Amino acid sequence: MTVTIKVPPRYARLARKMAKERNQSFEENEAWNNESDTWGVDPEERNYRGLMGEFAFAEYADLVVDTSTSRWGDGGKDFAAEINGKPADIDVKTSNKEPKALMVKEYAVDADYYVLGHLDGYEVTFFGGAWKDSITNGVRKESPFGHVNYTLGIDYLEPLPEPDKVTLRR
């Protein structure tokens, strides 16, 4: 069952501003892959899309988005939370195309729980989530962008936990 969340305009504006700042911090880092804009989407747009997914999930679960800018991003962990009382670092993956699968880069499986969303304007539709062990048991697929993804079809995702079952970690 999908859940659609409308991101309030003030958060969409903040996401746009943060995406620009985050992308600039990456560009200023000598070790940054300056060819990342060949991945099919402008890097600033990727940051914006990801932030919109984070803001939407924060609205859904009454969490708080980390608005800081760091040299290397969030390390693949958007929220430090508990799901049904179980500690879980959550990573929200947001697509600009209607997704058929949740994909996580093989070298970047750092969170405990993954959420899959699709951004359309100011709305994010969440298709569900999966725990790390489900991700790593997914199909390994070569990406056309030179890395391997763990891929879990949307039919294999669990429904999102109820909003009151997701809380900030104490």
Side-chain angles (χ1 to χ4, degrees), residues 116-131:
L116 176 61
H118 168 250
L119 175 64
D120 184 11
Y122 293 111
E123 293 184 340
V124 177
T125 299
F126 292 114
F127 289 84
W131 291 94

Side-chain angles (χ1 to χ4, degrees), residues 18-121:
M18 289 172 57
K20 185 177 186 96
E21 290 170 359
R22 286 184 179 181
N23 190 63
Q24 186 61 39
S25 75
F26 297 157
E27 293 290 338
E28 291 170 357
N29 189 329
E30 285 184 30
W32 176 246
N33 175 3
N34 288 315
E35 299 300 315
S36 66
D37 60 354
T38 64
W39 292 354
V41 179
D42 174 73
E44 193 171 309
E45 283 301 311
R46 272 199 320 273
N47 275 307
Y48 173 73
R49 181 180 65 228
L51 284 160
M52 289 292 283
E54 290 178 39
F55 277 113
F57 192 74
E59 285 288 306
Y60 172 77
D62 195 26
L63 299 174
V64 177
V65 172
D66 178 2
T67 58
S68 65
T69 300
S70 62
R71 184 174 171 173
W72 283 112
D74 58 21
K77 300 172 185 175
D78 298 323
F79 301 98
E82 292 183 4
I83 299 175
N84 294 318
K86 178 180 178 181
D89 289 323
I90 301 171
D91 191 15
V92 179
K93 298 293 186 186
T94 310
S95 173
N96 61 333
K97 300 173 189 158
E98 190 159 330
K100 295 180 178 20
L102 171 59
M103 293 184 283
V104 180
K105 291 178 188 80
E106 183 180 49
Y107 63 82
V109 182
D110 299 317
D112 302 306
Y113 187 77
Y114 292 85
V115 175
L116 176 61
H118 168 250
L119 175 64
D120 184 11

Side-chain angles (χ1 to χ4, degrees), residues 133-152:
D133 61 338
S134 293
I135 296 296
T136 56
N137 286 322
V139 176
R140 291 179 69 246
K141 282 191 175 177
E142 184 77 30
S143 161
F145 306 112
H147 57 266
V148 174
N149 288 320
Y150 284 114
T151 305
L152 190 62

